[in-house]
């Protein structure tokens, strides 16, 4: 549970100059897999050149990070800059753990799209800055699709399902590997139906999982999952679906762009067989709804080096280094003039239509962070439906737990 973490300690003087930073070291927490090699090298060099200070990236694991970050931000010497998942930023802002970065946003991110930036705000204030985000695409095995005789990539959901069926009939490969609890893909489907996962009941937030539109999204997920033999009670990281794909016996997975390099690392021989395309929607003019997932950078409200931390953000989120993130990893461009950085990265190019036309996030309310804690009740709902329970009944089974979490004090 997130608890109130009052700002403690003193920050740099707002008039500090570059000479005041020389010889200092900035501590930045990033999550495992977030900071790619070339981006990290560029940022470290640019930061030292600009300020005379050094940056130390401390890599954290996602498992248990909410509790660990809450503790760290409440201490007298917290990390100076922290990566926070874009679905959880509002909770830390409400807890008083983050510095206001409104002035910095105006200086370096005036052209960022709202879909990226809104997840870095709370109560109309800028408590973080968007670092990266991306959405899921279809990552497919070109060799398997060619063996099945598929010559054109599908443009609609019906065409995609027909392709999966063709692979099933004409090859010995599994058409799709989709575990039953890839809940961010399910959330994207929910976004596509126009549904919300929560709703207001008087002054409090409650579950909206029983909405017929959510049921429709789960029915679409069930149609996808019918082409897969993956476990119905596991998520895409248990085991890593990219490693399953790397074995060359899977026609496709619903993936983030970074999962291509993950598959290649596990099996370099598969590199030339990997392709990407947008997840097709019901009609060709609009891709399937997608969850725009990613992370923000925030400055610890009680940090000792806030002005130096802001200088780091100016460097890390510069056009040059934002472009490197898009180019190196395949994340979606957060502003129109970064679109050119996506050229040549097939995952980024495939993700662009969904990000532009049909993307969204989980509810951007402080209470939502509790819902995502393990065990995630929405994952339990998904497994129950895939095992035959009616969506309305499965929703009733977990809504009590969701409502309990939504009512917990931050």
């Amino acid at each position: 549970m997130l608890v109130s973490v009052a700002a403690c300690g003193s920050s740099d003087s707002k008039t500090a100059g570059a000479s005041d930073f020389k010889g200092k070291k900035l501590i930045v927490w990033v999550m495992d897999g977030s900071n790619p090699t070339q981006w990290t090298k560029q940022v470290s060099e640019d930061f030292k050149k600009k300020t005379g200070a050094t940056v130390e990236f401390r890599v954290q694991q996602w498992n248990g990070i909410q509790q660990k970050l809450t503790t760290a931000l409440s201490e007298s010497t917290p990390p100076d800059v922290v990566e926070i998942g874009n679905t959880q930023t509002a909770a830390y802002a409400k807890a008083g753990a983050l510095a206001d970065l409104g002035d910095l946003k105006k200086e370096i991110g005036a052209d960022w799209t709202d879909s990226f930036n809104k997840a870095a705000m709370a109560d109309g204030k800028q408590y973080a800055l968007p670092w990266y985000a991306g959405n899921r695409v279809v990552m497919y095995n070109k060799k398997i699709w060619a063996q099945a005789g598929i010559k054109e990539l599908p443009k609609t959901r019906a065409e995609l399902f027909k392709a999966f069926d063709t692979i099933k009939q004409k090859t010995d490969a599994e058409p799709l590997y989709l575990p039953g609890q890839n809940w961010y893909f399910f959330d994207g489907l929910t976004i596509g139906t126009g549904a919300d996962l929560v709703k207001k009941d008087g002054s409090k937030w409650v579950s909206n999982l029983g909405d017929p539109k959510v049921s429709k999204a789960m029915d679409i997920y069930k149609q996808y999952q019918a082409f897969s033999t993956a476990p119905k009670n596991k998520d895409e990281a248990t085991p890593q679906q990219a490693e399953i794909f790397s074995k060359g016996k899977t026609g496709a997975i619903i993936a983030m762009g970074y999962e291509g390099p993950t598959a290649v690392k596990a099996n370099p021989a598969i590199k030339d067989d990997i392709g990407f395309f947008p997840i097709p929607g019901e009609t060709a003019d609009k891709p399937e709804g997608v969850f725009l997932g990613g992370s923000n950078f925030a400055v610890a409200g009680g940090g000792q080096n806030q002005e130096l931390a802001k200088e780091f953000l100016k460097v890390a989120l510069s056009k040059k280094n934002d472009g490197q993130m898009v180019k190196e990893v395949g994340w979606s461009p957060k502003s129109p003039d970064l679109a050119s950085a996506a050229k040549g990265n097939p995952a980024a190019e495939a993700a662009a239509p969904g990000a532009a036309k049909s993307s969204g996030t989980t509810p951007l309310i402080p209470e939502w962070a509790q819902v995502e804690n393990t065990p995630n009740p929405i994952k339990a709902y998904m497994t129950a439906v895939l095992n035959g329970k009616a969506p309305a009944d499965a929703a009733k089974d977990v809504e009590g737990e969701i409502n309990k979490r939504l009512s917990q004090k931050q």
Side-chain angles (χ1 to χ4, degrees):
M1 183 184 298
L2 292 174
V3 295
S4 178
V5 285
C8 50
S10 60
S11 63
D12 292 334
S13 165
K14 291 188 178 297
T15 59
S19 61
D20 298 305
F21 301 139
K22 189 174 182 179
K24 285 192 173 185
K25 180 168 72 173
L26 197 77
I27 305 300
V28 179
W29 277 21
V30 294
M31 302 309 301
D32 185 27
S34 290
N35 59 318
T37 303
Q38 184 57 34
W39 178 91
T40 302
K41 182 175 182 292
Q42 285 184 188
V43 169
S44 299
E45 292 174 350
D46 292 351
F47 179 66
K48 186 172 184 179
K49 183 178 180 180
K50 184 175 191 231
T51 65
T54 57
V55 56
E56 179 183 336
F57 291 98
R58 294 184 180 175
V59 177
Q60 310 297 317
Q61 300 301 313
W62 283 107
N63 187 31
I65 188 57
Q66 288 198 60
Q67 292 81 2
K68 185 175 182 179
L69 191 53
T70 298
T71 299
L73 290 173
S74 67
E75 294 175 343
S76 59
T77 55
D80 299 301
V81 177
V82 293
E83 175 186 350
I84 302 177
N86 64 356
T87 65
Q88 300 165 354
T89 300
Y92 289 101
K94 184 177 180 180
L98 311 178
D100 189 325
L101 301 177
D103 290 344
L104 197 58
K105 160 65 170 62
K106 293 176 183 177
E107 182 178 347
I108 65 173
D111 62 345
W112 292 339
T113 59
D114 288 342
S115 59
F116 272 83
N117 193 62
K118 64 183 179 180
M121 301 183 71
D123 297 327
K125 292 185 177 180
Q126 194 83 37
Y127 285 105
L129 300 180
W131 180 18
Y132 65 83
N135 51 273
R136 282 161 175 76
V137 296
V138 179
M139 183 168 116
Y140 74 107
N141 186 308
K142 296 177 182 179
K143 183 181 292 185
I144 290 173
W145 284 53
Q147 289 173 351
I150 302 170
K151 300 184 185 305
E152 295 185 6
L153 295 177
K155 298 294 192 297
T156 66
R157 188 189 306 138
E159 290 176 0
L160 178 62
F161 289 168
K162 182 178 179 181
F164 288 157
D165 189 59
T166 300
I167 291 169
K168 183 177 180 179
Q169 299 299 325
K170 295 188 176 182
T171 76
D172 61 357
E174 182 171 18
L176 173 70
Y177 182 86
L178 179 66
Q181 295 184 347
N182 188 331
W183 92 277
Y184 280 131
F185 174 47
F186 163 64
D187 185 51
L189 297 174
T190 301
I191 290 167
T193 66
D196 294 310
L197 293 175
V198 298
K199 62 184 178 181
K200 215 54 181 299
D201 181 15
S203 61
K204 62 182 180 180
W205 292 100
V206 297
S207 170
N208 193 41
L209 210 58
D211 188 324
K213 291 180 180 179
V214 177
S215 299
K216 180 181 178 181
M218 192 59 217
D219 179 66
I220 296 171
Y221 190 98
K222 192 172 183 178
Q223 293 177 58
Y224 272 92
Q225 220 274 331
F227 290 102
S228 173
T229 61
K232 293 180 173 61
N233 62 344
K234 302 290 184 182
D235 62 25
E236 69 275 19
T238 315
Q240 288 288 339
Q241 64 176 9
E243 295 184 1
I244 299 292
F245 182 90
S246 73
K247 298 176 182 178
K249 297 294 184 180
T250 302
I253 59 176
I254 306 299
M256 296 290 280
Y258 64 80
E259 293 184 88
T262 300
V264 172
K265 183 177 180 181
N267 177 19
I270 203 171
K271 181 178 180 180
D272 293 337
D273 296 334
I274 297 177
F276 301 89
F277 60 89
I279 304 172
E282 189 169 353
T283 59
D285 61 319
K286 187 177 181 181
E288 196 76 86
V290 290
F291 167 72
L292 193 63
S295 286
N296 301 322
F297 266 141
V299 174
Q304 304 276 336
N305 302 301
Q306 289 190 20
E307 290 307 307
L308 183 57
K310 292 177 182 179
E311 292 301 316
F312 168 80
L313 293 180
K314 292 177 186 178
V315 170
L317 304 178
S318 67
K319 297 292 185 189
K320 169 188 173 183
N321 290 315
D322 273 347
Q324 181 61 31
M325 284 292 284
V326 174
K327 178 181 178 181
E328 191 170 356
V329 185
W331 295 119
S332 299
K334 69 176 88 163
S335 59
D337 61 355
L338 287 175
S340 60
K343 292 181 179 179
N345 186 309
E349 291 178 340
K357 293 185 177 181
S358 54
S359 66
T361 67
T362 51
L364 298 175
I365 56 174
E367 296 84 356
W368 181 256
Q370 311 289 358
V371 178
E372 293 191 15
N373 282 339
T374 303
N376 185 327
I378 298 178
K379 289 185 176 182
Y381 160 83
M382 295 174 68
T383 295
V385 175
L386 291 174
N387 282 328
K389 182 163 281 193
D393 293 334
K396 290 178 182 177
D397 289 344
V398 301
E399 283 189 320
E401 176 62 22
I402 294 174
N403 293 340
K404 176 183 176 182
R405 297 186 186 199
L406 288 170
S407 66
Q408 290 175 345
K409 292 182 179 181
Q410 306 302 302

